[in-house]
Amino acid sequence: MTPAEQRDLLQAVADHRLDVTAADQQLTEAQQPLDFADLDLERPQRTGYPETVFGEGKTAEQISQIIPRLRARTPVVLCTRVTATKAQAVQQRLADQQDIRYVAAARCLVAGEIPAPTTTGTIAIVTAGTSDIPVAEEAAVTAQAFGNRISRVYDVGVAGIHRLFAKLDVIRQAKVVIVAAGMDGALASVVGGLVASPVIALPTSIGYGSSYHGLSALLTMLNSCAEGVTVVNIDNGFGAAYAASVMNHL
Amino acid sequence: MTPAEQRDLLQAVADHRLDVTAADQQLTEAQQPLDFADLDLERPQRTGYPETVFGEGKTAEQISQIIPRLRARTPVVLCTRVTATKAQAVQQRLADQQDIRYVAAARCLVAGEIPAPTTTGTIAIVTAGTSDIPVAEEAAVTAQAFGNRISRVYDVGVAGIHRLFAKLDVIRQAKVVIVAAGMDGALASVVGGLVASPVIALPTSIGYGSSYHGLSALLTMLNSCAEGVTVVNIDNGFGAAYAASVMNHL
Amino acid sequence: MTPAEQRDLLQAVADHRLDVTAADQQLTEAQQPLDFADLDLERPQRTGYPETVFGEGKTAEQISQIIPRLRARTPVVLCTRVTATKAQAVQQRLADQQDIRYVAAARCLVAGEIPAPTTTGTIAIVTAGTSDIPVAEEAAVTAQAFGNRISRVYDVGVAGIHRLFAKLDVIRQAKVVIVAAGMDGALASVVGGLVASPVIALPTSIGYGSSYHGLSALLTMLNSCAEGVTVVNIDNGFGAAYAASVMNHL
Amino acid sequence: MTPAEQRDLLQAVADHRLDVTAADQQLTEAQQPLDFADLDLERPQRTGYPETVFGEGKTAEQISQIIPRLRARTPVVLCTRVTATKAQAVQQRLADQQDIRYVAAARCLVAGEIPAPTTTGTIAIVTAGTSDIPVAEEAAVTAQAFGNRISRVYDVGVAGIHRLFAKLDVIRQAKVVIVAAGMDGALASVVGGLVASPVIALPTSIGYGSSYHGLSALLTMLNSCAEGVTVVNIDNGFGAAYAASVMNHL
Amino acid sequence: MTPAEQRDLLQAVADHRLDVTAADQQLTEAQQPLDFADLDLERPQRTGYPETVFGEGKTAEQISQIIPRLRARTPVVLCTRVTATKAQAVQQRLADQQDIRYVAAARCLVAGEIPAPTTTGTIAIVTAGTSDIPVAEEAAVTAQAFGNRISRVYDVGVAGIHRLFAKLDVIRQAKVVIVAAGMDGALASVVGGLVASPVIALPTSIGYGSSYHGLSALLTMLNSCAEGVTVVNIDNGFGAAYAASVMNHL
Amino acid sequence: MTPAEQRDLLQAVADHRLDVTAADQQLTEAQQPLDFADLDLERPQRTGYPETVFGEGKTAEQISQIIPRLRARTPVVLCTRVTATKAQAVQQRLADQQDIRYVAAARCLVAGEIPAPTTTGTIAIVTAGTSDIPVAEEAAVTAQAFGNRISRVYDVGVAGIHRLFAKLDVIRQAKVVIVAAGMDGALASVVGGLVASPVIALPTSIGYGSSYHGLSALLTMLNSCAEGVTVVNIDNGFGAAYAASVMNHL
Amino acid sequence: MTPAEQRDLLQAVADHRLDVTAADQQLTEAQQPLDFADLDLERPQRTGYPETVFGEGKTAEQISQIIPRLRARTPVVLCTRVTATKAQAVQQRLADQQDIRYVAAARCLVAGEIPAPTTTGTIAIVTAGTSDIPVAEEAAVTAQAFGNRISRVYDVGVAGIHRLFAKLDVIRQAKVVIVAAGMDGALASVVGGLVASPVIALPTSIGYGSSYHGLSALLTMLNSCAEGVTVVNIDNGFGAAYAASVMNHL
Amino acid sequence: MTPAEQRDLLQAVADHRLDVTAADQQLTEAQQPLDFADLDLERPQRTGYPETVFGEGKTAEQISQIIPRLRARTPVVLCTRVTATKAQAVQQRLADQQDIRYVAAARCLVAGEIPAPTTTGTIAIVTAGTSDIPVAEEAAVTAQAFGNRISRVYDVGVAGIHRLFAKLDVIRQAKVVIVAAGMDGALASVVGGLVASPVIALPTSIGYGSSYHGLSALLTMLNSCAEGVTVVNIDNGFGAAYAASVMNHL
């Protein structure tokens, strides 16, 4: 139940459009604990960030029950790793919440309005190739949902390094930089040596053969000879953006 | 040649205590390129941080040649991963530079004075056990060399989690938190869920058997269910502190 | 052939409702060895526990032949890792055995009545997230089938550790604790440090990227800095519950 | 400071053999926190077991400071993974504590008297080969320090399985069984199928080539086809005994 | 073209039922090299065994072209790793060769009659579980195709070791023993310690989680503490039987 | 837009068949940057080779937009790792470009005419088995697209080494040799010891069980005891041919 | 106590050179069980082969106690993996047994006379390089101790394959072939394709970098495209020879 | 025996300074086969390159016997991976061959004069750091021994990429480029995208933690997004140079 819905309900009671017993039942239902999840509703108070829903491995039914409970605490609820099919199923179950939309490029479901940026600093999201874009877009949506400005610099891998230099200004203007790369993952080291801001290396599972689903890029990034690069899990666009947002709000 | 030494040399020329030919030769020698290393002397301009010497795999002879060249550009030169024996050999070769000291607990050689903190924010360095301390101390010396205040919270692993809660205030007051842990590496996730600041997870090679020299802790940290945790290489105390310093100076 | 069926058959013979030749043939058939399996029918005598059927990799046909033979020796037959489709096929083949039901949440087929608890001690089954629940439910059904009381504490992962503390009483009242977690697997260490009872760590394959299908959680648990934690195979809810039951009956 | 020493000190004060200032200073010193360790002194209250010292990676100096503090709370302090040389150094530093002895076969340092068994149940410690004995002995000393009766059944690996059957009675009489094996680790499965008590599988690093320092045995044990077997880390004799003791005291 | 077909063709020419040009063309076609394969037709002369077709990764079309060419040299052609669908497609293409049949349990296509045993020695094929049977059957068909007697001992894994002892006589009468097992793979070591004949350990991919698709069983078998056990690739029933046949014919 | 198309457009303008505004719009559109890719159009100038499209992970839509832009710079555009379905979708979208054809055996889409060889040297492409052919054909098409003569020597694996010797002349006449092999990958070492030209080892993912999708062949090739063998990624037919072409043009 | 020594003792009693009490004590001592080992003395009866001592990880003291007990049952006792230093220590302790000698090339200690060959068949031991010889020699001594004729074919790796062909006759005359190779391990496949006898592949830890201490050779051999090759553990010369001996005596 | 020594011997016979019997014996001795090695003396004829001695794992005695035999066929004998101590031992044994010298920086022993370059093309040897230099020097000595010109470009890793660009001209002038790098190995991709010549990537074992002794760099290089890069084994400076020489002589 969103705050608006709750206000509507109370107004309806005040207007005698809804009797107290029914209102009481609706409120109770919306607040009762889920038997499959113990939501971390105090999270915003503790860390400044609302709990986000990791959609992989959850059913549409479960997501549909979680979203309303989280909405009561935060203006925007983000649900990552959602397939188009599952997104549609959630949207149908929550048909009364018109402001839930699916961002296909990022495989994310967003309930509520993405807020206006709350910082002047920008998070640059850089990718080595075009295949890294879905992971980068997950990071982009996440960063925006958390109130950050972002800039995208895509497809500037080191095999044609002039492309990177052509966009170095944009990258250097950012307060925090995320570098997403699969295969050799070398872009993180090169960017790390060229900027003074924190660099978050985001390995992707792009590649084949001995890339081992992102292991190659992950190891490259952990062993970056550029100092000050930190690393998140393979394909973890959300985590990279979360960490970037924390830094951007410092 | 440190800036002070260079001034002394020029003064000696002015005072006719040193003839021009000899002075010229000394200056040339101090500036000529090393045949085994291509130092990144422009690094401070580009990234705001001086190049640091990774001592492992370098001979005392090589370190002794690198340090003076770097000193010309930066007030403090840090050399990590140096054994006591190698440190002594370097100190003997550079006996005229009295301000080089060896920090045994951190396995670091420091040339010049650690500067006073340049930020008000603090970097908290947290360890799970006592065996993680050498890596934590490498981070501590590095952070201080880069002008940061630090606070140490050692031996608060999750097996006795009350110890962590007893010191949570100190950790929460920090602007950036480094969590060093080996074995199960679980401390990073717990801390990550309790603070609002950026958390840098620093896996250590402490453990035996299936810890695989830090792999267990590394994977734990990469898969942290606490959002916003980023990770550096195993035992990379320097890298964790470098990244923390960049964030602390934002 | 269940014991009841066998008694019915003999009664039918006594009542001359079934002639001896037919009865003899039915009995022989029910007892003749399977050509694809050598059932361990003496298992209850040897270990106190009946043989259970691991359904993965067995056809509905094979399961349908094994269940009746095991039923002759034990009041309840448990068949784990059965898909809904396969379960339905078995139920159709064994349509005369009305007491076979499918527990979808646990992916288990249960033939016969789950017995009343035979111990006063409780087995607490704790999960880090909601995605770990199917594995936890496999453990729950197994523990109940073996005569144990259970308590469920789900979705209390360390990223929001207050949720765990809110339910610590329930966990501490248990005689044995099973902790199921994927990703960083850190919950096992935290629980292990907080309780005095045996803790069985149950890694799950939940996660992505460098979780490597449960390897991350498995290594975390094997390297738990909390003493006295023992570990079972990834996703092995049955094995965790079996071991817990043995301990609970000590 | 052991309880006896503390009583002696107070008696000396009462007898005016020691003035109050000196006594006060001694007491304060013995209680002041270590700067390198945050001992878990409440552990006995919380889990029923005293904190034990993992000696690997700690200096003799550190161990010598930890032991007296722990002795104040528990009659016997166990320090595992101590080399003979380090043990001697500790004994010299703590020369006034005559009851510290080194158990070479188990690589353990024991301060105080091993208590008499507090349970009637026995823990059987079984090994596949003679090379597994040091790990088994670490388990044996630990189990005894925690008040358990033990029985040793060594060198009964499956390559000559009659040796195991010859001693099956001893194993079956135990309330809990620890099975230590390297190489193929197959003994755990065989024992697991023959007993009704909990079996803790303890992989050892014995072997060469593709045993990968215990990985082979570890995987074997995690995949044991005998149900109810739980596993601890490679060479973790202490952990196996700790868990066994918890079970034995149920 | 089988030898019989070739004789028929020549007879047809002699009988003037087929003109020389057409016959010439048919013969040429049957003998011309395949553009995708360079068959090892001299293999029987060199090693005593005909080339066998590994069906995985080959199309029905390719298999249909290879079989006739091999049939010209050997009475029975074995094609392993063939799905039922692919087998049917091959049988349709080679509809004139009525003696090609599909052995579903072993996933093999057999062209020609399995010969009568050419040795008195028997190859025992032993499995730990019922899930190992498909691999064991691949070994069984292969061994028979190469002229060996076989005996099957299935589902005698070490978790219920009395089942193994009940059939030990059969195993000991064999001249060569193949032991197929997944999961812990422990059966190979136990059998290896009980027989005097060569034991070929055949790891299977049966299992889940940390069995890693047969890696666990493979490592167990390579590290067998029973001497004289040799190992083949995971699921390589054909290779185990080939090697066993060579030994059985010594 | 191909050079021919661009000329046609200009001619149409000159002939007043197309007005300037429309022509301008078409030209602008064809040159405007893609929002998902930053094509490396200067690549031919820098390395002598045009950028090639790696089709895996790109949509038909994306490929259809990239091809025309690359065609403007190079006579032939190669797109590797394209399924038949995706190829058809691209061909439909670019239906006006009749010279785009799909080479199924190599899973490649080729736009434009394969040029005549520009070198006299030949690249020999050798495979161990028939299953390695798709990877080898990817190499073949690539090599031809880059202006090389090629010779194919397929199915000459070391298990029947006489097949290799029968074709050694062809291999020795080549200026560069590519050896594609899966499973044991042994062919690269044997060929490497027999020829004087550069040998590029190309591991394929052919195999099962402990071949680990090409890891076995990859390690074999990296550890080749034949000197001078260099290695590319598993299944990287394109990369092997690219490197071979560079060498062939030296 | 060897059989000869036992006879001498009894004769001394008969001759009244030794009184009965002393003789009784000596006999008892020689037969009493070791507290650290449970020797498999019935092994010769069960498998036809005496227990052999794996010297790695055993002390000179332990080996010195084991050897006499085994000598009572078998004419020759083999102790593998013994360093020169440990061998000397054993020889000193057992100085009265003059027939114990150390075979340095094979790192084996041999007590008693190597018997004359008991078979007409030969075991060929083939190595790829000179560095593989120590492992090959362990196999050679073992094979001879078990009564086999052997032939050595060393340093015939595939990088210079003409060396192998020059000695193919010797290899083909053998009844069983052992192929020892490190690095790429390719020799096993080549030999496997050239002979009709059983081939035992023996990977060695020779190599560096990505040979991973024999893993590369091990995987190569497990994936051998030559049929009928079986594999033993890395550096397991003893195991290869044991298996070869069993085959050679068929 | 070098060709010069052989001529001297014959002249001594002609001059009656040496009698025929002694001369005959000396010649025979020099040509008789080694019992531990089967030298590939026809290698120069077959591949154009002499056999080189891999010194690791060979004794000084063995090397001292191999060198003279190889010298008879080739003007310069190269022995890689030789420690200073072993080199000295060889030089003492072959004290009459004054032209054997030890190149410490490359850990190589060189017998005979390094020839003048036989090609106009240059091989550039590029390293990321100073720690990679020993491996690079092994490549340098090897390349020179095989008649190549070389240029060294050391310490130009991507963390300070301007250092690379400063030396790009030198690298681009080379006909073949070797790139040696440890840790992230990213330099190979960057160089690969900037040059038109063949690039051989040479991973080194430099690094710590998750670099896994060169695995990180190896995977990076195998997955290089720069096309046309081929890879050799970790630390294989010799192999890289051998391959480069073959290409340089095309």
Side-chain angles (χ1 to χ4, degrees), chain H residues 36 53-69 77 79-83 86-87 90 93-94 109:
Chain H
F36 61 88
V53 186
F54 183 70
E56 207 170 286
K58 293 204 180 64
T59 63
E61 173 62 31
Q62 290 176 320
I63 295 173
S64 303
Q65 290 183 37
I66 293 173
I67 286 179
R69 274 165 182 77
V77 173
C79 186
T80 62
R81 306 284 175 97
V82 181
T83 62
K86 199 185 284 183
V90 172
R93 285 167 190 272
L94 302 178
L109 202 59

Side-chain angles (χ1 to χ4, degrees), chain A residues 1-31:
Chain A
M1 189 175 283
T2 63
E5 288 172 339
Q6 186 171 308
R7 250 191 328 273
D8 287 353
L9 179 141
L10 294 175
Q11 192 59 51
V13 172
D15 298 348
H16 301 288
R17 283 180 287 121
L18 186 69
D19 71 63
V20 166
T21 308
D24 184 51
Q25 187 178 350
Q26 283 182 32
L27 272 177
T28 303
E29 209 163 82
Q31 289 159 9

Side-chain angles (χ1 to χ4, degrees), chain E residues 36-40 42-43 46 51 54 56-58 81 212 215 218 233-236, chain F residues 129-131 133 154-156 159-164 167 183 207-212:
Chain E
F36 61 87
D38 187 348
L39 301 178
D40 189 1
E42 282 71 35
R43 190 167 178 76
R46 206 171 67 247
E51 191 168 35
F54 182 71
E56 208 170 286
K58 292 203 181 65
R81 305 283 174 99
Y212 294 118
L215 176 62
L218 172 63
N233 195 5
I234 298 163
D235 289 338
N236 189 5
Chain F
T130 60
S131 303
I133 293 179
Y154 288 175
D155 199 21
V156 293
I161 207 166
H162 62 285
R163 297 179 300 183
L164 174 65
K167 300 205 175 147
M183 295 178 68
Y208 61 92
S210 64
S211 80
Y212 294 118

Side-chain angles (χ1 to χ4, degrees), chain H:
Chain H
M1 188 175 283
T2 63
E5 287 173 340
Q6 184 171 309
R7 249 192 326 273
D8 287 353
L9 179 141
L10 294 175
Q11 190 60 51
V13 172
D15 297 349
H16 300 289
R17 284 180 286 122
L18 185 71
D19 72 61
V20 167
T21 307
D24 184 50
Q25 187 178 350
Q26 283 181 33
L27 271 177
T28 302
E29 209 163 83
Q31 290 160 10
Q32 76 185 9
L34 300 173
D35 58 352
F36 61 88
D38 187 350
L39 300 178
D40 189 2
L41 300 172
E42 281 73 34
R43 191 168 179 76
Q45 279 68 46
R46 208 171 66 248
T47 67
Y49 286 83
E51 190 168 33
T52 304
V53 186
F54 183 70
E56 207 170 286
K58 293 204 180 64
T59 63
E61 173 62 31
Q62 290 176 320
I63 295 173
S64 303
Q65 290 183 37
I66 293 173
I67 286 179
R69 274 165 182 77
L70 291 179
R71 296 200 71 172
R73 310 289 174 116
T74 174
V76 58
V77 173
L78 181 63
C79 186
T80 62
R81 306 284 175 97
V82 181
T83 62
T85 309
K86 199 185 284 183
Q88 203 171 15
V90 172
Q91 285 174 312
Q92 283 170 352
R93 285 167 190 272
L94 302 178
D96 56 328
Q97 302 186 22
Q98 293 292 330
D99 59 352
I100 300 183
R101 75 199 162 83
Y102 183 59
V103 185
R107 295 166 302 171
C108 288
L109 202 59
V110 183
E113 279 309 295
I114 296 278
T118 56
T119 62
T120 53
T122 300
I123 297 171
I125 304 175
V126 184
T127 79
T130 59
S131 304
D132 304 313
I133 293 179
V135 173
E137 283 296 311
E138 181 182 303
V141 169
T142 303
Q144 290 175 321
F146 291 162
N148 299 281
R149 290 176 202 284
I150 65 163
S151 58
R152 291 175 173 88
V153 182
Y154 287 175
D155 199 20
V156 293
V158 300
I161 207 166
H162 61 285
R163 298 179 300 183
L164 174 64
F165 286 105
K167 300 205 174 147
L168 198 50
D169 278 356
V170 176
I171 300 174
R172 280 187 166 152
Q173 282 159 11
K175 190 169 166 193
V176 185
V177 181
I178 294 171
V179 180
M183 296 178 66
D184 62 18
L187 185 59
S189 292
V190 175
V191 170
L194 290 168
V195 303
S197 46
V199 173
I200 298 171
L202 169 53
T204 73
S205 57
I206 297 304
Y208 61 93
S210 63
S211 80
Y212 294 118
H213 311 292
L215 176 62
S216 170
L218 172 63
L219 290 182
T220 304
M221 289 166 169
L222 284 169
N223 288 283
S224 176
C225 52
E227 290 146 348
V229 173
T230 59
V231 187
V232 295
N233 195 4
I234 298 163
D235 288 338
N236 190 5
F238 170 76
Y242 188 106
S245 177
V246 172
M247 296 174 199
N248 196 29
H249 282 82
L250 282 178

Side-chain angles (χ1 to χ4, degrees), chain B residues 36-38 40 42-43 46 51 54 58 81 215 218 233-234 236, chain H residues 130-131 133 154-156 159-160 162-163 167 207-210 212:
Chain B
F36 61 87
D38 187 349
D40 189 1
E42 282 71 35
R43 189 167 180 77
R46 207 171 65 248
E51 190 168 34
F54 182 72
K58 293 204 180 65
R81 305 285 174 98
L215 176 62
L218 172 62
N233 195 4
I234 297 163
N236 189 5
Chain H
T130 59
S131 304
I133 293 179
Y154 287 175
D155 199 20
V156 293
H162 61 285
R163 298 179 300 183
K167 300 205 174 147
Y208 61 93
S210 63
Y212 294 118

Side-chain angles (χ1 to χ4, degrees), chain B:
Chain B
M1 189 174 283
T2 64
E5 289 172 338
Q6 185 171 308
R7 250 192 325 275
D8 287 354
L9 177 142
L10 293 175
Q11 191 59 52
V13 172
D15 298 349
H16 300 289
R17 284 180 285 120
L18 185 69
D19 73 61
V20 167
T21 308
D24 185 49
Q25 187 178 349
Q26 282 181 33
L27 272 177
T28 303
E29 209 163 80
Q31 289 160 9
Q32 75 184 11
L34 300 173
D35 58 352
F36 61 87
D38 187 349
L39 300 177
D40 189 1
L41 299 172
E42 282 71 35
R43 189 167 180 77
Q45 280 68 46
R46 207 171 65 248
T47 67
Y49 285 82
E51 190 168 34
T52 304
V53 186
F54 182 72
E56 207 171 287
K58 293 204 180 65
T59 64
E61 173 62 32
Q62 290 176 321
I63 294 173
S64 303
Q65 289 183 38
I66 292 173
I67 285 178
R69 274 166 182 76
L70 292 179
R71 296 201 70 173
R73 311 288 174 117
T74 175
V76 58
V77 174
L78 181 63
C79 186
T80 62
R81 305 285 174 98
V82 181
T83 61
T85 310
K86 199 185 284 183
Q88 203 171 15
V90 172
Q91 285 174 311
Q92 283 170 354
R93 285 167 189 270
L94 302 178
D96 56 328
Q97 302 186 21
Q98 292 291 332
D99 60 351
I100 300 183
R101 76 199 162 81
Y102 183 59
V103 185
R107 293 165 304 171
C108 289
L109 203 59
V110 182
E113 278 308 295
I114 296 278
T118 57
T119 63
T120 53
T122 300
I123 297 171
I125 304 174
V126 184
T127 78
T130 59
S131 304
D132 303 313
I133 293 179
V135 173
E137 283 296 311
E138 181 183 303
V141 168
T142 303
Q144 290 175 322
F146 290 162
N148 299 282
R149 289 177 203 284
I150 65 162
S151 58
R152 290 176 174 87
V153 182
Y154 287 175
D155 200 19
V156 293
V158 300
I161 207 166
H162 62 285
R163 298 180 300 183
L164 174 65
F165 285 105
K167 300 204 174 149
L168 197 50
D169 279 354
V170 176
I171 300 174
R172 280 187 165 153
Q173 282 158 11
K175 191 168 166 193
V176 184
V177 181
I178 294 171
V179 180
M183 296 178 66
D184 61 19
L187 185 59
S189 293
V190 175
V191 171
L194 291 168
V195 304
S197 46
V199 172
I200 298 171
L202 170 52
T204 72
S205 56
I206 297 305
Y208 61 93
S210 65
S211 79
Y212 294 118
H213 311 291
L215 176 62
S216 170
L218 172 62
L219 290 182
T220 304
M221 289 166 170
L222 284 169
N223 288 285
S224 175
C225 52
E227 291 147 348
V229 173
T230 59
V231 187
V232 296
N233 195 4
I234 297 163
D235 289 337
N236 189 5
F238 170 77
Y242 188 107
S245 177
V246 172
M247 296 175 199
N248 196 29
H249 282 82
L250 281 180

